[in-house]
Amino acid sequence: MTFDIISWVNETNLAHQKQRHSCQQLSAHFTGFFSIELLKQASFVITNELPCPPATVVSQLGLSQLLSPTAVGITLNDIYYLKPQVAGQLRVHFHELIHVLQWQALGPEFFIKRYMSEVIKYSYRQAPLEVTAYNFEDKFIADPNSPFLIVAKDTI
Ligand SMILES: [Zn+2]
């Protein structure tokens, strides 16, 4: 079943190649927090409809839904998808870049397994991978002018 999800992730990202914006354009704000390599590698897509895996795959995972109706973003490996209303919010970009680092630290298969099991066990907001992303986001917002470099292993 993880294989199904990984296929869906890869297909979704391939289908959005042309709508991607490089995260390099955020470097004025994020240099020092994230490596230049990461900002070059990661990208984002602005879309009204966040990608959502097929219902059959989601129910196999034991979830009624993967995304809450109020979700404004989702990270699939090194591409994150944002709703237009948050596309201008640096804190949301920052949060999703932490998830990109988590995908890198764990690899797609383990990221997906761990993320799903955490959401089932703790609920979305208390899932440790989310808590870490929110904590980094809060730290950035509290002092956006004092960068501290975040690398993949710091995010899991
Ligand atoms: Zn998150």
Side-chain angles (χ1 to χ4, degrees), residues 22-25 27 30-43 78 97 100-101 104 149-152:
S22 171
C23 290
Q24 256 189 301
Q25 70 187 74
S27 59
F30 291 168
T31 296
F33 290 99
F34 299 107
S35 71
I36 298 300
E37 291 71 30
L38 180 79
L39 295 175
K40 277 185 184 166
Q41 184 188 1
S43 54
D78 57 1
L97 280 166
V100 173
L101 285 173
Q104 290 187 351
L149 186 69
I150 306 162
V151 296

Side-chain angles (χ1 to χ4, degrees), residues 11-20 45 47 49 51 79 81:
E11 283 162 23
T12 302
N13 284 348
L14 265 177
H16 291 86
Q17 291 287 319
K18 294 205 170 111
Q19 288 114 284
R20 287 179 305 155
V45 171
T47 176
E49 294 283 329
I79 303 182
Y81 297 81

Side-chain angles (χ1 to χ4, degrees), residues 46 53-54 84 95 112 125 140:
I46 300 166
H95 180 105
I112 291 166
R125 188 58 183 82
F140 165 70

